[in-house]
Amino acid sequence: MTSSSVLDLAPVVPVVVLEDAADAVPLARALVAGGLPAIEVTLRTAAALDAIRAIAAEVPDAVVGAGTVISAGNVSDTVAAGARFLVSPGWTDSLLDAMKGSGLPFLPGVSTTSEVVALLERGITGMKFFPAEAAGGTAYLKALSAPLPQARFCPTGGISLASAPSYLALPNVGCVGGSWMVPGDAVAARDWGRVERLAAEAAALGA
């Protein structure tokens, strides 16, 4: 799997923050059942690595990745846990080297034209656009598409079910990242049926 193919796994990549690793497997199963196999588990909690490990081991139809990857240590830890792709909110040369060295597909985060050009210089065409809404949204990405058509993006940050279609309609957007299908109250209540329904609604955006 290449970085570009991460953008083609599903129209929406759930961005998941888990406080309890015991929720990882049922949550992942609900998302997969709803049609969203690519799942980004963010490294924002102490449970994240155990969650990635559990999904990788017990939900074979899920393609679990690690988000909020910001150091070489994060890269090695998530590779060991079984992550199949890496996502960073931004990038540095050392982080880029670590992600490249992992052998996994990765989406480095960008929010400026110069960052996009710098990645293209390094042969990287698949990127995360973050924070999407705050950094200019669809208007910004549309403006990039003419001078930099080879760059493709997964916009993440502030995107909702209502705004996702306008992103997905852009020629340089492969998928969007969001957390609206994994609302905190549903996860806290372990209402996996609701998560599955929200996931199916999100997956239908690519139909």
Side-chain angles (χ1 to χ4, degrees), residues 114-179:
S114 293
E115 290 169 331
V116 175
V117 172
L119 288 176
L120 291 174
E121 275 189 353
R122 291 161 170 78
I124 297 165
T125 58
M127 309 170 195
K128 170 177 177 169
F129 178 55
F130 177 83
E133 287 287 280
T138 55
Y140 192 93
L141 287 173
K142 187 175 182 180
L144 287 183
S145 65
L148 302 170
Q150 62 273 56
R152 295 182 71 221
F153 301 95
C154 174
T156 305
I159 297 176
S160 65
L161 178 66
S163 63
S166 60
Y167 282 94
L168 292 168
L170 297 174
N172 56 349
V173 170
C175 63
V176 300
S179 56

